[in-house]
């Protein structure tokens, strides 16, 4: 039952993902969450996030920020990095993910999602048929509704880790 919330891949940071590996595998589009995925909640784009997006574009990726936040927040971040974006995306609903792929000219086989929350980012990406990459939140300081969800996420992530450990022991 909890498997529906499990990420396909779980890494410590968006900045540690081997994006070249995904490009070489045929992926061409990346949908990113912003807050606590690329920068702390509400923070502007920093040099690290600008450099990452620049390098991904040079690699050949098309980038879209998919955020449940309001347009001023998403636009402020995007203006500094110059990608596509969808605000008030309605994650975990699949509509925003599909609109994102349509705008990028990609599909479920050539797009993946990177975010920091299980119940919006990962669940929505999985429902949309996308590879989901979960990253650790950048900052522990978050809005109260997210803090409450993090307690539930701990339960799901504990089950996910147990499954992954068993798979490793069994050689899967």
């Amino acid at each position: 039952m909890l498997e529906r919330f499990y990420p396909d891949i779980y890494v410590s940071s968006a900045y540690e993902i081997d994006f070249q590996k995904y490009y070489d595998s045929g992926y061409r589009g990346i949908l990113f969450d912003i807050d606590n995925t690329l920068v702390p909640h509400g923070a502007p784009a920093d040099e690290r996030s600008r450099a990452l997006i620049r390098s991904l574009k040079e690699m050949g990726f098309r980038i879209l920020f998919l955020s449940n936040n309001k347009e001023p927040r998403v636009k402020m971040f995007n203006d500094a990095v110059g990608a596509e974006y969808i605000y008030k995306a309605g994650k975990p609903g699949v509509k925003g993910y599909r609109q994102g792929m349509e705008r990028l000219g990609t599909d479920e086989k050539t797009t993946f999602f990177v975010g920091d929350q299980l119940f919006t980012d990962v669940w929505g990406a999985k429902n949309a048929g996308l590879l989901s990459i979960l990253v650790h939140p950048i900052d522990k300081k978050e809005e109260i509704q997210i803090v409450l969800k993090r307690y539930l996420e701990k339960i799901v992530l504990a089950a996910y880790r147990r499954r992954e450990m068993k798979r490793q022991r069994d050689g899967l």
Side-chain angles (χ1 to χ4, degrees), residues 6-10 112-113 121-122 125-126 130-134:
Y6 291 175
D8 295 305
I9 298 158
Y10 188 22
F112 64 95
F113 185 87
D121 299 331
V122 170
K126 289 179 74 100
L130 301 179
L131 176 76
S132 62
I133 301 178
L134 178 69

Side-chain angles (χ1 to χ4, degrees), residues 95-119:
K95 182 179 177 184
Y97 294 88
R98 291 193 177 127
Q99 286 176 341
M101 288 183 282
E102 186 177 313
R103 286 177 54 183
L104 294 178
T106 59
D107 60 28
E108 294 87 353
K109 292 182 177 87
T110 59
T111 310
F112 64 95
F113 185 87
V114 180
D116 70 299
Q117 292 188 55
L118 287 178
F119 302 126

Side-chain angles (χ1 to χ4, degrees), residues 1 22 41 45 79 124 143:
M1 179 171 124
Y22 294 101
H41 186 81
D79 284 350
E143 295 176 337

Side-chain angles (χ1 to χ4, degrees), residues 35-55:
D35 288 323
N36 256 347
T37 297
L38 294 171
V39 293
H41 186 81
D46 56 14
E47 182 50 42
R48 185 168 75 157
S49 60
R50 288 192 301 270
L52 174 64
I53 300 305
R54 187 171 43 250
S55 72

